[in-house]
Amino acid sequence: MPSDRIGNHPEDAEIRFFTGTWELYPAEELAAAAVVELDLGCGVGSYTAELAKRYPERKILAADVMVGRLRKLVKRCRRMGIGNMTILRTEARHLVAFMLPDESVDRLHLLCPDPWPKGRHSGHRLLTSDFVSQLHRVLKKDGIFHFSSDDEPYYTAVRGVLASSGLFVEAPEAIADLAGIRSDFEQRWNDEGKPVHHIACRRIPRLAHTIGH
């Protein structure tokens, strides 16, 4: 079960602190919501808050490892009167690999993560084949993975990983309802005349394993 650790900041009472790798998010809480969306690495939450405001009937999960950013998101939600968001302090890999129940999320957003462009840092990239397999596990049937990056080589590499996995098929129409919602990073790059590339992929069933003779 999640551990709620309240610190000296008044915003901490509205953040769920997951402190261990093997803690589980309560499955019944997610099952009770008709639609669940997760912003993985939400930062200060400009994108997440706009998403929650536009679709108040959906349950929005906002996750980040930097508690300072999450405290700013709490304040943003208060100003905007948002009541359909759950804010999580946790590490992205742990959340997806260990903590979320199977087939519990309708759409998962990973927007403008650090591309780690130097070769010696490539191991820090989140989008590995193993992580893609975990994305497939937590997404519901026909669930959507939404990724964006300002770094074109990284974007191209992610498209390749998704395509080669055999677990997803591109579905650009699946993010048509997000028109006009931008993260702080995307707004910054756009202001500088730099494009941000988006991809949406729909989860497809795994192929059945067969044993040859």
mmCIF file of all heavy atoms in Angstrom, residues 179-205:
data_model
loop_
_atom_site.group_PDB
_atom_site.id
_atom_site.type_symbol
_atom_site.label_atom_id
_atom_site.label_comp_id
_atom_site.label_asym_id
_atom_site.label_seq_id
_atom_site.Cartn_x
_atom_site.Cartn_y
_atom_site.Cartn_z
ATOM 1 N N ALA A 179 -5.713 18.746 -28.446
ATOM 2 C CA ALA A 179 -5.311 19.926 -29.208
ATOM 3 C C ALA A 179 -5.311 21.166 -28.313
ATOM 4 O O ALA A 179 -6.259 21.432 -27.584
ATOM 5 C CB ALA A 179 -6.260 20.133 -30.385
ATOM 6 N N GLY A 180 -4.203 21.894 -28.380
ATOM 7 C CA GLY A 180 -4.090 23.129 -27.630
ATOM 8 C C GLY A 180 -3.507 22.987 -26.243
ATOM 9 O O GLY A 180 -3.202 23.999 -25.592
ATOM 10 N N ILE A 181 -3.335 21.757 -25.756
ATOM 11 C CA ILE A 181 -2.722 21.554 -24.437
ATOM 12 C C ILE A 181 -1.226 21.325 -24.644
ATOM 13 O O ILE A 181 -0.829 20.420 -25.378
ATOM 14 C CB ILE A 181 -3.342 20.351 -23.711
ATOM 15 C CG1 ILE A 181 -4.856 20.505 -23.591
ATOM 16 C CG2 ILE A 181 -2.722 20.208 -22.325
ATOM 17 C CD1 ILE A 181 -5.546 19.339 -22.896
ATOM 18 N N ARG A 182 -0.406 22.128 -23.980
ATOM 19 C CA ARG A 182 1.044 22.020 -24.134
ATOM 20 C C ARG A 182 1.723 21.985 -22.777
ATOM 21 O O ARG A 182 1.281 22.641 -21.829
ATOM 22 C CB ARG A 182 1.604 23.200 -24.929
ATOM 23 C CG ARG A 182 1.072 23.332 -26.341
ATOM 24 C CD ARG A 182 1.676 24.530 -27.024
ATOM 25 N NE ARG A 182 1.154 24.719 -28.367
ATOM 26 C CZ ARG A 182 1.508 25.715 -29.170
ATOM 27 N NH1 ARG A 182 2.377 26.607 -28.760
ATOM 28 N NH2 ARG A 182 0.981 25.818 -30.377
ATOM 29 N N SER A 183 2.799 21.236 -22.710
ATOM 30 C CA SER A 183 3.625 21.249 -21.509
ATOM 31 C C SER A 183 4.472 22.508 -21.501
ATOM 32 O O SER A 183 4.611 23.206 -22.515
ATOM 33 C CB SER A 183 4.527 20.015 -21.472
ATOM 34 O OG SER A 183 5.494 20.086 -22.510
ATOM 35 N N ASP A 184 5.057 22.811 -20.336
ATOM 36 C CA ASP A 184 5.947 23.969 -20.249
ATOM 37 C C ASP A 184 7.118 23.835 -21.212
ATOM 38 O O ASP A 184 7.529 24.809 -21.845
ATOM 39 C CB ASP A 184 6.483 24.120 -18.821
ATOM 40 C CG ASP A 184 5.418 24.616 -17.861
ATOM 41 O OD1 ASP A 184 4.561 25.408 -18.287
ATOM 42 O OD2 ASP A 184 5.438 24.215 -16.689
ATOM 43 N N PHE A 185 7.668 22.611 -21.323
ATOM 44 C CA PHE A 185 8.799 22.391 -22.219
ATOM 45 C C PHE A 185 8.399 22.635 -23.664
ATOM 46 O O PHE A 185 9.130 23.292 -24.412
ATOM 47 C CB PHE A 185 9.342 20.965 -22.060
ATOM 48 C CG PHE A 185 10.213 20.779 -20.865
ATOM 49 C CD1 PHE A 185 9.783 20.015 -19.783
ATOM 50 C CD2 PHE A 185 11.474 21.359 -20.795
ATOM 51 C CE1 PHE A 185 10.583 19.841 -18.671
ATOM 52 C CE2 PHE A 185 12.284 21.193 -19.687
ATOM 53 C CZ PHE A 185 11.836 20.425 -18.621
ATOM 54 N N GLU A 186 7.243 22.122 -24.064
ATOM 55 C CA GLU A 186 6.823 22.321 -25.453
ATOM 56 C C GLU A 186 6.590 23.793 -25.749
ATOM 57 O O GLU A 186 6.968 24.292 -26.817
ATOM 58 C CB GLU A 186 5.562 21.520 -25.753
ATOM 59 C CG GLU A 186 5.085 21.695 -27.181
ATOM 60 C CD GLU A 186 4.103 20.640 -27.638
ATOM 61 O OE1 GLU A 186 3.730 19.781 -26.819
ATOM 62 O OE2 GLU A 186 3.729 20.671 -28.826
ATOM 63 N N GLN A 187 5.967 24.502 -24.810
ATOM 64 C CA GLN A 187 5.740 25.923 -25.016
ATOM 65 C C GLN A 187 7.057 26.665 -25.163
ATOM 66 O O GLN A 187 7.194 27.562 -26.014
ATOM 67 C CB GLN A 187 4.936 26.496 -23.852
ATOM 68 C CG GLN A 187 4.506 27.944 -24.046
ATOM 69 C CD GLN A 187 3.593 28.111 -25.229
ATOM 70 O OE1 GLN A 187 2.529 27.497 -25.301
ATOM 71 N NE2 GLN A 187 3.988 28.939 -26.193
ATOM 72 N N ARG A 188 8.042 26.283 -24.351
ATOM 73 C CA ARG A 188 9.354 26.941 -24.430
ATOM 74 C C ARG A 188 9.999 26.705 -25.789
ATOM 75 O O ARG A 188 10.480 27.643 -26.436
ATOM 76 C CB ARG A 188 10.276 26.407 -23.335
ATOM 77 C CG ARG A 188 11.668 27.049 -23.344
ATOM 78 C CD ARG A 188 12.656 26.239 -22.535
ATOM 79 N NE ARG A 188 12.226 26.049 -21.156
ATOM 80 C CZ ARG A 188 12.893 25.298 -20.277
ATOM 81 N NH1 ARG A 188 13.989 24.652 -20.666
ATOM 82 N NH2 ARG A 188 12.464 25.175 -19.045
ATOM 83 N N TRP A 189 9.995 25.439 -26.239
ATOM 84 C CA TRP A 189 10.616 25.142 -27.528
ATOM 85 C C TRP A 189 9.867 25.833 -28.669
ATOM 86 O O TRP A 189 10.485 26.356 -29.598
ATOM 87 C CB TRP A 189 10.662 23.636 -27.772
ATOM 88 C CG TRP A 189 11.376 22.827 -26.743
ATOM 89 C CD1 TRP A 189 11.006 21.620 -26.239
ATOM 90 C CD2 TRP A 189 12.611 23.139 -26.075
ATOM 91 N NE1 TRP A 189 11.900 21.170 -25.315
ATOM 92 C CE2 TRP A 189 12.896 22.085 -25.190
ATOM 93 C CE3 TRP A 189 13.490 24.228 -26.129
ATOM 94 C CZ2 TRP A 189 14.027 22.077 -24.370
ATOM 95 C CZ3 TRP A 189 14.618 24.213 -25.308
ATOM 96 C CH2 TRP A 189 14.869 23.153 -24.450
ATOM 97 N N ASN A 190 8.550 25.853 -28.607
ATOM 98 C CA ASN A 190 7.774 26.513 -29.654
ATOM 99 C C ASN A 190 8.060 28.004 -29.693
ATOM 100 O O ASN A 190 8.150 28.603 -30.775
ATOM 101 C CB ASN A 190 6.275 26.283 -29.438
ATOM 102 C CG ASN A 190 5.835 24.860 -29.707
ATOM 103 O OD1 ASN A 190 4.740 24.468 -29.332
ATOM 104 N ND2 ASN A 190 6.677 24.063 -30.364
ATOM 105 N N ASP A 191 8.213 28.621 -28.529
ATOM 106 C CA ASP A 191 8.524 30.050 -28.463
ATOM 107 C C ASP A 191 9.875 30.355 -29.100
ATOM 108 O O ASP A 191 10.102 31.463 -29.606
ATOM 109 C CB ASP A 191 8.519 30.534 -27.016
ATOM 110 C CG ASP A 191 7.117 30.574 -26.413
ATOM 111 O OD1 ASP A 191 6.142 30.493 -27.188
ATOM 112 O OD2 ASP A 191 7.005 30.676 -25.176
ATOM 113 N N GLU A 192 10.768 29.354 -29.069
ATOM 114 C CA GLU A 192 12.086 29.514 -29.674
ATOM 115 C C GLU A 192 12.102 29.058 -31.136
ATOM 116 O O GLU A 192 13.157 28.999 -31.769
ATOM 117 C CB GLU A 192 13.127 28.717 -28.881
ATOM 118 C CG GLU A 192 13.326 29.227 -27.458
ATOM 119 C CD GLU A 192 14.306 28.375 -26.668
ATOM 120 O OE1 GLU A 192 14.889 27.432 -27.258
ATOM 121 O OE2 GLU A 192 14.496 28.652 -25.465
ATOM 122 N N GLY A 193 10.927 28.714 -31.665
ATOM 123 C CA GLY A 193 10.823 28.274 -33.050
ATOM 124 C C GLY A 193 11.250 26.843 -33.279
ATOM 125 O O GLY A 193 11.532 26.440 -34.409
ATOM 126 N N LYS A 194 11.271 26.060 -32.220
ATOM 127 C CA LYS A 194 11.713 24.676 -32.305
ATOM 128 C C LYS A 194 10.509 23.742 -32.241
ATOM 129 O O LYS A 194 9.692 23.845 -31.316
ATOM 130 C CB LYS A 194 12.678 24.370 -31.156
ATOM 131 C CG LYS A 194 13.392 23.028 -31.260
ATOM 132 C CD LYS A 194 14.423 22.916 -30.144
ATOM 133 C CE LYS A 194 15.208 21.608 -30.259
ATOM 134 N NZ LYS A 194 16.225 21.473 -29.198
ATOM 135 N N PRO A 195 10.340 22.824 -33.193
ATOM 136 C CA PRO A 195 9.172 21.940 -33.163
ATOM 137 C C PRO A 195 9.315 20.846 -32.118
ATOM 138 O O PRO A 195 10.416 20.447 -31.740
ATOM 139 C CB PRO A 195 9.156 21.340 -34.569
ATOM 140 C CG PRO A 195 10.602 21.343 -34.983
ATOM 141 C CD PRO A 195 11.196 22.591 -34.381
ATOM 142 N N VAL A 196 8.173 20.382 -31.653
ATOM 143 C CA VAL A 196 8.111 19.222 -30.758
ATOM 144 C C VAL A 196 7.321 18.145 -31.484
ATOM 145 O O VAL A 196 6.232 18.392 -31.990
ATOM 146 C CB VAL A 196 7.450 19.579 -29.419
ATOM 147 C CG1 VAL A 196 7.214 18.325 -28.575
ATOM 148 C CG2 VAL A 196 8.320 20.573 -28.651
ATOM 149 N N HIS A 197 7.878 16.955 -31.544
ATOM 150 C CA HIS A 197 7.276 15.848 -32.287
ATOM 151 C C HIS A 197 6.477 14.960 -31.338
ATOM 152 O O HIS A 197 6.943 14.604 -30.258
ATOM 153 C CB HIS A 197 8.367 15.020 -32.970
ATOM 154 C CG HIS A 197 9.334 15.845 -33.764
ATOM 155 N ND1 HIS A 197 9.036 16.361 -34.999
ATOM 156 C CD2 HIS A 197 10.598 16.265 -33.467
ATOM 157 C CE1 HIS A 197 10.068 17.035 -35.455
ATOM 158 N NE2 HIS A 197 11.023 17.007 -34.542
ATOM 159 N N HIS A 198 5.269 14.584 -31.768
ATOM 160 C CA HIS A 198 4.388 13.737 -30.958
ATOM 161 C C HIS A 198 4.119 12.427 -31.680
ATOM 162 O O HIS A 198 4.034 12.383 -32.908
ATOM 163 C CB HIS A 198 3.047 14.434 -30.705
ATOM 164 C CG HIS A 198 3.131 15.596 -29.778
ATOM 165 N ND1 HIS A 198 2.716 15.532 -28.459
ATOM 166 C CD2 HIS A 198 3.581 16.868 -29.967
ATOM 167 C CE1 HIS A 198 2.896 16.713 -27.883
ATOM 168 N NE2 HIS A 198 3.416 17.543 -28.780
ATOM 169 N N ILE A 199 3.952 11.381 -30.897
ATOM 170 C CA ILE A 199 3.515 10.105 -31.433
ATOM 171 C C ILE A 199 2.520 9.496 -30.453
ATOM 172 O O ILE A 199 2.699 9.590 -29.229
ATOM 173 C CB ILE A 199 4.698 9.130 -31.672
ATOM 174 C CG1 ILE A 199 4.195 7.819 -32.291
ATOM 175 C CG2 ILE A 199 5.468 8.872 -30.396
ATOM 176 C CD1 ILE A 199 5.302 6.873 -32.699
ATOM 177 N N ALA A 200 1.441 8.921 -30.991
ATOM 178 C CA ALA A 200 0.468 8.195 -30.179
ATOM 179 C C ALA A 200 0.387 6.775 -30.716
ATOM 180 O O ALA A 200 0.258 6.571 -31.925
ATOM 181 C CB ALA A 200 -0.892 8.866 -30.232
ATOM 182 N N CYS A 201 0.470 5.814 -29.827
ATOM 183 C CA CYS A 201 0.425 4.401 -30.219
ATOM 184 C C CYS A 201 -0.635 3.673 -29.411
ATOM 185 O O CYS A 201 -0.751 3.877 -28.196
ATOM 186 C CB CYS A 201 1.782 3.735 -29.996
ATOM 187 S SG CYS A 201 3.050 4.278 -31.149
ATOM 188 N N ARG A 202 -1.388 2.823 -30.097
ATOM 189 C CA ARG A 202 -2.424 2.036 -29.455
ATOM 190 C C ARG A 202 -1.898 0.646 -29.101
ATOM 191 O O ARG A 202 -1.207 0.009 -29.893
ATOM 192 C CB ARG A 202 -3.629 1.910 -30.391
ATOM 193 C CG ARG A 202 -4.863 1.283 -29.719
ATOM 194 C CD ARG A 202 -6.038 1.226 -30.683
ATOM 195 N NE ARG A 202 -6.339 2.529 -31.251
ATOM 196 C CZ ARG A 202 -7.035 3.474 -30.649
ATOM 197 N NH1 ARG A 202 -7.507 3.243 -29.430
ATOM 198 N NH2 ARG A 202 -7.265 4.629 -31.230
ATOM 199 N N ARG A 203 -2.221 0.214 -27.917
ATOM 200 C CA ARG A 203 -1.825 -1.117 -27.447
ATOM 201 C C ARG A 203 -2.566 -2.183 -28.244
ATOM 202 O O ARG A 203 -3.770 -2.095 -28.462
ATOM 203 C CB ARG A 203 -2.184 -1.249 -25.970
ATOM 204 C CG ARG A 203 -1.892 -2.587 -25.319
ATOM 205 C CD ARG A 203 -2.577 -2.585 -23.952
ATOM 206 N NE ARG A 203 -2.207 -3.717 -23.121
ATOM 207 C CZ ARG A 203 -2.826 -4.894 -23.110
ATOM 208 N NH1 ARG A 203 -3.833 -5.114 -23.946
ATOM 209 N NH2 ARG A 203 -2.447 -5.844 -22.282
ATOM 210 N N ILE A 204 -1.848 -3.195 -28.693
ATOM 211 C CA ILE A 204 -2.459 -4.329 -29.374
ATOM 212 C C ILE A 204 -2.110 -5.591 -28.596
ATOM 213 O O ILE A 204 -1.141 -5.619 -27.834
ATOM 214 C CB ILE A 204 -1.988 -4.436 -30.840
ATOM 215 C CG1 ILE A 204 -0.462 -4.585 -30.920
ATOM 216 C CG2 ILE A 204 -2.462 -3.238 -31.649
ATOM 217 C CD1 ILE A 204 0.051 -4.786 -32.344
ATOM 218 N N PRO A 205 -2.883 -6.660 -28.752
ATOM 219 C CA PRO A 205 -2.630 -7.879 -27.969
ATOM 220 C C PRO A 205 -1.274 -8.498 -28.311
ATOM 221 O O PRO A 205 -0.792 -8.394 -29.447
ATOM 222 C CB PRO A 205 -3.772 -8.807 -28.384
ATOM 223 C CG PRO A 205 -4.824 -7.904 -28.935
ATOM 224 C CD PRO A 205 -4.091 -6.765 -29.573
#
